[in-house]
Amino acid sequence: MSSHPGDRLSAFLDGELSAAERAEVQGHLRECAACTRELEELGAVDAFARELPVEAPAGYFDELPGRVRARVRAHSGSQIPGRRPAELAPRHAFRPT
Amino acid sequence: MDVPSRLDAGRALEARPPAGPAAPDAAEADLLARARDGNLFAFDEIVKRYQRRVYATAVRIVRRHDVADDVVQEAFLRAHQALGRFDLARPFGPWICRIAANLAVNHVRSPQAREEALPEAHAETPVRGGSPLVGVLETEARTELARALEGLSADQRAVFVLRVFEELSYKEIAEALEISIGTVMSRLSRARERLRVALTPYLGAAMARRVEGGER
């Protein structure tokens, strides 16, 4: 039997191995019931973790946009992302009428 | 939060390709363009769209609401400041979550974080009802998982969160956390292994029950 995949089992689960490494792990799994079981359990851990909900204090998400806006305003002042100050003024702003 | 409909360990045998970026949303690109031009109301809409997802990323890593709140605000602030460099053809969600994860890990590594008391509450609150897992993996198993997640290092949690919840590729995780792909691989493997060991009694029972119940 080929050597156990070790860290590569987790990467195999994620589809992050090269074709050659993947084939090697697949070959090992055909022969090793313990690693096959471990792979199943690793997948189950991910699925289980995704089932755990995340909760924030009541009303938190109602207030957050306003708090972010206040911070953005305080930090950016007259600065607008992606534009230099010279670009903010209309091109004809100083043109005599 | 979108979750798999059931504990589906068997399908883990099929290697999953790394998740690709979600298709850019035209309405979102328009909001981002207006936000970039200084429209704070447009940025408000972006915050409303992503606040839960960004908060979940942060709190799963830092394990404290007050710290997660700081991280979320800072992440949105930095994203706003960097909008001028953001490619509107790319999805915003993975980008803001990467920013949040980086901030979260840096916070946990900071001297300030080491002086803070250990968290008393779990980031995830076990709930009953609605999930197919309930009845198979009981509250005890959920508590055990929450405890095991807290037992991981913040570095391990960050890699686990970005992979399992955000479905980023190893390359994307490496870039977000400024580590090598090899480090991503080893940290993720160790994190999963620790969680697997902690949950082994429950995973075994769940999978045995699935086999007895037959596959749909």
Side-chain angles (χ1 to χ4, degrees), chain A residues 4-7 9-10 13 32-49, chain B residues 7 9 12 137 141 144-149 151-152 156 160 164 187-205 207:
Chain A
H4 295 294
D7 282 356
L9 204 54
S10 168
L13 180 66
C32 182
C35 285
T36 299
R37 167 107 183 163
E38 187 175 329
L39 181 63
E40 289 177 350
E41 291 182 346
L42 291 177
V45 164
D46 285 6
F48 192 12
Chain B
L7 184 62
L137 299 169
E144 194 59 45
L145 175 57
R147 188 181 296 131
L149 282 165
L152 299 179
Q156 289 174 330
F160 184 76
V164 174
R187 281 184 187 166
L188 185 52
S189 175
R190 283 172 201 153
R192 279 181 169 141
E193 180 60 14
R194 286 191 67 170
L195 299 178
R196 185 185 74 84
V197 168
L199 291 173
T200 289
Y202 311 103
L203 295 175
M207 289 191 291

Side-chain angles (χ1 to χ4, degrees), chain B:
Chain B
M1 178 173 56
D2 293 333
V3 294
S5 60
R6 63 200 182 103
L7 184 62
D8 200 353
R11 290 185 189 167
L13 284 171
E14 293 292 328
R16 298 191 302 258
D25 172 343
E28 180 173 297
D30 179 59
L31 281 173
L32 288 167
R34 285 193 281 138
R36 192 161 64 182
D37 286 344
N39 186 329
L40 285 181
F41 294 106
F43 194 67
D44 254 17
E45 288 305 310
I46 293 294
V47 174
K48 287 174 188 167
R49 279 186 179 210
Y50 287 99
Q51 58 180 351
R52 286 176 173 77
R53 182 168 161 186
V54 177
Y55 177 80
T57 296
V59 81
R60 283 180 174 129
I61 296 171
V62 300
R63 316 297 294 173
R64 290 174 53 126
H65 168 73
D66 57 339
V67 179
D69 177 41
D70 285 345
V71 167
V72 172
Q73 289 188 53
E74 186 67 21
F76 278 115
L77 179 62
R78 292 198 185 188
H80 183 267
Q81 290 170 333
L83 273 180
R85 299 189 300 275
F86 179 66
D87 178 0
L88 296 182
R90 296 186 66 80
F92 183 78
W95 184 58
I96 182 75
C97 286
R98 287 200 296 267
I99 294 173
N102 182 282
L103 289 168
V105 167
N106 285 339
H107 173 85
V108 176
R109 286 175 184 154
S110 69
Q112 177 199 345
R114 283 194 284 273
E115 289 172 7
E116 290 167 353
L118 288 171
E120 292 178 0
H122 296 313
E124 289 89 4
T125 305
V127 293
R128 298 182 69 91
S131 164
L133 279 173
V134 174
V136 180
L137 299 169
E138 298 292 345
T139 305
E140 185 183 331
R142 293 174 180 275
T143 303
E144 194 59 45
L145 175 57
R147 188 181 296 131
L149 282 165
E150 280 182 15
L152 299 179
S153 70
D155 289 325
Q156 289 174 330
R157 277 200 302 271
V159 171
F160 184 76
V161 166
L162 290 180
R163 175 60 217 172
V164 174
F165 297 95
E166 286 300 318
E167 299 189 334
L168 298 189
S169 70
Y170 286 13
K171 182 171 182 290
E172 290 170 324
I173 297 170
E175 288 169 358
L177 302 178
E178 298 163 343
I179 55 179
S180 71
I181 289 177
T183 302
V184 172
M185 187 184 293
S186 60
R187 281 184 187 166
L188 185 52
S189 175
R190 283 172 201 153
R192 279 181 169 141
E193 180 60 14
R194 286 191 67 170
L195 299 178
R196 185 185 74 84
V197 168
L199 291 173
T200 289
Y202 311 103
L203 295 175
M207 289 191 291
R209 191 156 162 166
R210 267 184 72 238
V211 171
E212 285 168 15
E215 292 289 337
R216 274 185 294 172

Side-chain angles (χ1 to χ4, degrees), chain A residues 17-28:
Chain A
L17 294 180
S18 67
E21 286 179 310
R22 192 164 58 244
E24 190 181 324
V25 172
Q26 280 170 332
H28 178 82

